[in-house]
Amino acid sequence: MTITLRLVTTHDRATPLLWKMVSVNGLKGNKNSHVFLLLDKLKEIVSKDTQVIILADRELGTLNNMKKMKEELNFDYILRIKSNFTVTNKQSIKKSAYEWLNKDSPTCMDDEKLTLQDYPVKKIIVCKEPAMKEMWSLACSLSNITTQTILNLY
């Protein structure tokens, strides 16, 4: 199996930057460690003034991974999270992410908290477009970005 970090351009192209071949034997439960080896390498090679935004699916959308990306690597992220994540809004109302779904348009919540640990996240977006198989729950560490831009990037 190949784990790849790609540069996504504004032209919707994804150019491989770093990759690693790993055996699928023994990969279960260890994939994130291989991904973070690549992310650590990326941190080494990009200049300090370069903004890095990690786009990733639910497999990386965990609280521990968000903390590592933002706090240790200083990378921003747009991560798909599991729909059963607890999201607490500014009024301290706690619901699972899927309970925030508005069927008519994407729900965007600013400066929310995730999980029972109340980890601060700049934006949470919950949506289900007609062409989607499943709803998306996205956590984003950026505050100065529109809902549509987040959806387009992801």
Side-chain angles (χ1 to χ4, degrees), residues 21-39:
M21 300 290 293
V22 295
S23 171
V24 292
N25 296 332
L27 186 60
K28 188 172 183 173
N30 295 315
K31 187 173 180 183
N32 284 354
S33 63
H34 293 289
V35 170
F36 275 100
L37 284 174
L38 288 175
L39 289 174

Side-chain angles (χ1 to χ4, degrees), residues 21-140:
M21 300 290 293
V22 295
S23 171
V24 292
N25 296 332
L27 186 60
K28 188 172 183 173
N30 295 315
K31 187 173 180 183
N32 284 354
S33 63
H34 293 289
V35 170
F36 275 100
L37 284 174
L38 288 175
L39 289 174
D40 288 338
K41 183 67 175 171
L42 181 64
K43 178 73 176 173
E44 290 175 19
I45 61 175
V46 296
S47 65
K48 293 189 186 326
D49 61 343
T50 301
Q51 181 183 29
V52 175
I53 304 170
I54 303 299
L55 308 175
D57 209 352
R58 288 176 286 199
E59 193 169 1
L60 277 181
T62 67
L63 186 60
N64 286 339
N65 290 344
M66 287 177 210
K67 287 179 179 180
K68 179 162 181 154
M69 285 180 212
K70 190 65 183 164
E71 297 168 16
E72 292 178 30
L73 297 172
N74 200 30
F75 290 167
D76 284 301
Y77 57 79
I78 299 171
L79 302 175
R80 188 167 172 197
I81 59 174
K82 293 184 178 177
S83 62
N84 64 351
F85 262 56
T86 301
V87 178
T88 306
N89 70 3
K90 292 177 191 171
Q91 292 76 34
S92 298
I93 298 171
K94 291 181 185 281
K95 294 183 187 180
S96 293
Y98 70 88
E99 294 177 291
W100 293 101
L101 179 64
N102 175 349
K103 294 187 172 128
D104 298 326
S105 64
T107 301
C108 181
M109 300 174 281
D110 295 330
D111 298 315
E112 305 305 305
K113 296 191 166 76
L114 273 183
T115 76
L116 299 176
Q117 296 178 25
D118 285 338
Y119 184 71
V121 176
K122 293 295 182 186
K123 289 188 183 282
I124 301 289
I125 296 173
V126 182
C127 68
K128 170 75 169 77
E129 299 293 327
M132 293 178 176
K133 290 182 184 179
E134 299 177 358
M135 65 173 275
W136 286 356
S137 301
L138 303 174
C140 178

Side-chain angles (χ1 to χ4, degrees), residues 133-148:
K133 290 182 184 179
E134 299 177 358
M135 65 173 275
W136 286 356
S137 301
L138 303 174
C140 178
S141 64
L142 301 159
S143 58
N144 57 344
I145 188 170
T146 67
T147 300
Q148 194 57 55

